[in-house]
């Protein structure tokens, strides 16, 4: 009879643990789990020691299972503690709990909901050039802890005679960059001068049906949306990595990107690029420039795409800086945020800032000279 009561007490203890996790705090559940198992194990072995006869194999098996469960729960708690409180890094897609915690810790925004440590006045200072960088996570500095280490802020420190702003958010593509600039210039009456579109090869992803469907399928995965995966930093991170390795589409993602630039999807992407160019003109931009970042871990693979983009911008009469030569001869480990995130790290932003600064000065001075010499 005592064994039945003991078993019921253990079950009640486990139920309390998960109720705490569901309604109070998940980490409390993970911390109390080994306590509950240890309590059950102590009761079990205490009862076993009172028996006069030697323990039979079912009792020995039960005891070993309890000890194993206790060790595994302690190991799980150790991993959970590390990834919840100590691990301080991003992942490429930015959608794990570890990466989300990094984002909350380091992404401080101004009143325009843009990452920066200064506010952006809507009106231009008539005595200063205003340079507005428009882009995605590369421009926002995803993977870079201190915003002062990203290329935008580095260039700002070099040129106090300029106003330098970053209209950038992680996840933006060409069409959403158009929307962002439309909202800034129309809804907020933000005045533009020199606009720099910071393009990344994966910006074409929004018109790639395989990528859109594949990402939605991955995020809709049942276990990914379970209580455990939504509350355990450890489980969430490693299930995400397992998904990426197992997903049939993700293994051929780069193939689809290459194909997109060679087929009709490129024609759709060009519509978005033209819309951005036209928006800049309509909203009073005096100069449009384009900077293209490579895939930091696959730079040489997309050399033909970089050449294609360069031809396109030349045809449109837009000055274009291709950063492929800056990064193509460097090992990825030296220029990416971490092995699971190929965003540019602080050193890569330093190199980019140097190249972009030289590009800006050349193009702005050339435009000034042209204007001066015009009749």
């Amino acid at each position: 009879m005592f064994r039945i009561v003991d078993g019921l007490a253990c079950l009640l203890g486990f139920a309390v643990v998960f109720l705490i996790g569901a309604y109070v705090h998940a980490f409390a559940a993970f911390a109390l789990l080994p306590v509950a198992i240890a309590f059950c194990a102590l009761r079990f072995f205490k009862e076993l020691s009172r028996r006069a006869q030697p323990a039979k194999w079912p009792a020995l098996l039960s005891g070993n299972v309890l000890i194993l469960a206790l060790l595994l729960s302690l190991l799980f708690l150790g991993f959970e503690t590390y990834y919840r409180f100590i691990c301080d890094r991003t992942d490429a897609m930015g959608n794990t709990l570890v990466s989300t915690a990094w984002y909350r810790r380091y992404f401080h925004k101004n009143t325009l909901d843009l990452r920066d440590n200064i506010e952006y006045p809507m009106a231009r200072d008539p005595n200063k050039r205003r340079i507005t960088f428009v882009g995605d996570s590369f421009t926002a500095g995803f993977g870079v802890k201190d915003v002062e280490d990203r290329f935008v802020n580095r260039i700002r420190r070099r040129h106090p005679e300029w106003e330098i702003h970053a209209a950038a958010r992680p996840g933006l593509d060409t069409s959403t960059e158009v929307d962002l600039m439309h909202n800034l210039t129309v809804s907020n009456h933000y005045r533009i001068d020199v606009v720099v579109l910071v393009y990344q090869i994966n910006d074409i992803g929004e018109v790639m049906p395989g990528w859109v469907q594949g990402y939605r399928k991955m995020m809709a995965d049942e276990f990914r949306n379970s209580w455990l995966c939504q509350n355990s930093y450890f489980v969430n991170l490693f299930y995400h990595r397992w998904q990426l390795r197992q997903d049939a589409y993700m293994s051929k993602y780069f193939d689809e990107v290459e194909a997109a630039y060679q087929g009709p999807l490129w024609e759709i992407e060009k519509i978005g690029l033209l819309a951005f160019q036209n928006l800049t003109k309509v909203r009073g931009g005096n100069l449009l420039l384009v900077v293209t970042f490579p895939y930091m871990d696959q730079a040489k693979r997309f050399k033909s795409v970089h050449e294609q983009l360069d031809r396109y911008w030349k045809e449109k009469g837009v000055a274009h800086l291709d950063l492929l030569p800056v990064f193509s001869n460097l090992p990825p480990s030296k220029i990416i945020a971490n092995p699971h995130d190929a965003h540019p790290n602080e050193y890569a932003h330093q190199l980019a800032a140097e190249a972009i600064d030289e590009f800006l000065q050349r193009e702005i001075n050339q435009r000034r000279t042209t204007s001066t010499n015009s009749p």
Side-chain angles (χ1 to χ4, degrees), residues 258-273:
E258 286 181 312
Y261 280 99
Q262 303 304 318
L265 295 181
W266 168 236
E267 298 303 318
I268 300 175
E269 177 67 2
K270 286 197 294 185
I271 295 173
L273 295 175

Side-chain angles (χ1 to χ4, degrees), residues 88-92 143 241 332 335-343 345:
D88 194 28
R89 59 169 53 182
T90 52
D91 62 81
R241 292 179 183 175
I335 55 176
I336 64 174
N338 64 69
H340 297 282
D341 183 4
H343 283 92
N345 62 14

Side-chain angles (χ1 to χ4, degrees), residues 322-337:
D322 186 1
L323 292 177
L324 179 63
V326 175
F327 298 115
S328 59
N329 293 320
L330 295 172
S333 60
K334 194 171 183 178
I335 55 176
I336 64 174

